[in-house]
Amino acid sequence: MNSLFHPEMTPAQVNAMSALALAHIGDAVFELLVRTKLCVSGGKTNGRLHHDTIARVCAPAQAVVAERLFPLLTEEETAFYRRGKNSHTHAIPKNATHAQYARATGLETLFGALWLLGRQERVEALFAAATEEDYAL
């Protein structure tokens, strides 16, 4: 791995990680993209930034993003998504259904796997494709 901001793990290394470990890093990657997008769009107070971030990183919102992305995924990406979606989580937030939480975990697993594989451009492209209309000023 070259750097923590530009990891380049091998597919074997990434596949050896649990789906929930991939979702753990993917959650952070997704939230960083959301926060960056909101800050770059400008004109918001700290409280508004926080509110808008929470609204976009919650399981129901991530489930919508996952549904938008699914048709754009490659076979390998679909496998990562399904691996996360089918993982067994122990706690589901009160504001999400089991199905929403499963789709959100799939999205996070996908983003985590791509990030660790060093495919940051693909992560950004998928994020842009799925969230473009949500950030219109």
Side-chain angles (χ1 to χ4, degrees):
M1 181 166 19
N2 297 339
S3 118
L4 295 177
F5 280 107
H6 302 285
E8 290 185 28
M9 295 176 74
T10 67
Q13 289 172 312
V14 171
N15 285 325
M17 298 177 75
S18 73
L20 295 180
L22 295 172
H24 179 73
I25 188 69
D27 178 50
V29 169
F30 188 82
E31 184 165 344
L32 180 60
L33 289 168
V34 167
R35 287 174 178 245
T36 302
K37 183 81 171 182
L38 289 170
C39 285
V40 168
S41 68
K44 296 186 182 206
T45 64
N46 187 48
R48 188 82 237 161
L49 287 170
H50 177 73
H51 178 270
D52 289 353
T53 298
I54 297 303
R56 287 173 171 86
V57 300
C58 65
Q62 285 182 330
V64 170
V65 169
E67 288 177 23
R68 288 181 190 163
L69 282 184
F70 196 75
L72 306 175
L73 301 182
T74 66
E75 194 173 308
E76 178 190 38
E77 293 166 348
T78 300
F80 281 123
Y81 171 77
R82 286 194 173 133
R83 190 172 149 201
K85 184 175 177 259
N86 295 331
S87 65
H88 297 287
T89 54
H90 298 288
I92 297 172
K94 293 178 187 176
N95 69 334
T97 65
H98 185 277
Q100 288 171 323
Y101 195 68
R103 287 192 301 271
T105 303
L107 177 75
E108 292 169 352
T109 301
L110 169 64
F111 274 44
L114 292 174
W115 178 263
L116 292 174
L117 288 167
R119 299 180 191 163
Q120 288 82 7
E121 287 182 16
R122 180 63 174 158
V123 169
E124 288 185 57
L126 288 173
F127 179 80
T131 60
E132 186 175 303
E133 64 195 45
D134 295 335
Y135 293 87
L137 296 174

